[in-house]
Amino acid sequence: MSTTVVRITAALPGVLLAVSGVGWLTDPATAAEGLGMPLLDGIGRSTQIGDFGAFFLSGAGMAFIGAWTAQPAWLLAPALLLGSAACMRVFAFLAHGAPFATMFVAIELVMTGILMTSALLLSRAGRLSKS
């Protein structure tokens, strides 16, 4: 598989993360609703917009940097964020009685897989080019 295809594929989760992040900036009520929660009031609103906006925009930025520079480490960082989010959702289900968020867990795991596979392929391509 060509490095260009891998880099484009690696950027796809970044696009989804960026769209969500921009939603938290421009229309937080709709962004919150899309994640199955109301937009909170008071300091809770600040926390929601700040934390979710940072999560999505930082993840997007790291995915884009990794795709642009073909540096695998940049792709592993958003993979860690997304994989951790999926694990925490499962934990919320198992330990705290939250409904199992099948769709969200699946999306997070697919994006984690894309980022990790892209990182692996870019790492291999980098090692081959040095040989």
Side-chain angles (χ1 to χ4, degrees):
M1 183 178 293
S2 82
T3 302
T4 302
V5 171
V6 174
R7 291 170 64 193
I8 290 168
T9 303
L12 295 177
V15 172
L16 295 175
L17 292 168
V19 168
S20 294
V22 169
W24 281 101
L25 292 173
T26 60
D27 189 2
T30 301
E33 185 179 313
L35 294 177
M37 66 181 128
L39 185 62
L40 301 175
D41 291 321
I43 199 73
R45 181 174 296 184
S46 175
T47 299
Q48 268 184 311
I49 295 169
D51 290 358
F52 282 102
F55 175 92
F56 288 113
L57 292 175
S58 295
M62 290 181 279
F64 291 147
I65 291 169
W68 182 261
T69 65
Q71 294 182 16
W74 282 101
L75 300 176
L76 294 176
L80 180 63
L81 284 172
L82 290 161
S84 296
C87 289
M88 292 302 294
R89 288 182 189 277
V90 172
F91 180 78
F93 168 72
L94 294 173
H96 297 292
F100 190 73
T102 306
M103 181 180 68
F104 293 119
V105 171
I107 291 168
E108 289 160 353
L109 291 177
V110 167
M111 289 196 298
T112 298
I114 289 170
L115 291 162
M116 291 182 70
T117 302
S118 297
L120 176 66
L121 293 172
L122 290 174
S123 179
R124 286 183 181 167
R127 284 195 305 269
L128 289 175
S129 68
K130 292 178 185 176
S131 300

